[in-house]
Amino acid sequence: MNSRNGFVAVRPGAEPGFTTEDILWAVGIWSVILTLAPVIVFYLLMVA
């Protein structure tokens, strides 16, 4: 992955789009968020 300052460098003439790595990152992040959301809500309800 060629990146500078967090932006992916796209080769001239290449079509920008999502790669398999991008999709795996998104699925991983959303799975963590959706897994921890009920735990965080339950904790806030018990503490508040």
Side-chain angles (χ1 to χ4, degrees):
M1 182 172 89
N2 298 327
S3 63
R4 182 180 299 136
N5 297 332
F7 293 100
V8 176
V10 178
R11 288 176 277 110
E15 289 291 326
F18 294 110
T19 63
T20 305
E21 186 181 5
D22 296 330
I23 295 172
L24 289 176
W25 265 99
V27 170
I29 291 171
W30 276 107
S31 64
V32 170
I33 292 172
L34 293 177
T35 302
L36 293 180
V39 176
I40 295 170
V41 170
F42 180 76
Y43 175 77
L44 290 175
L45 288 174
M46 294 301 291
V47 171

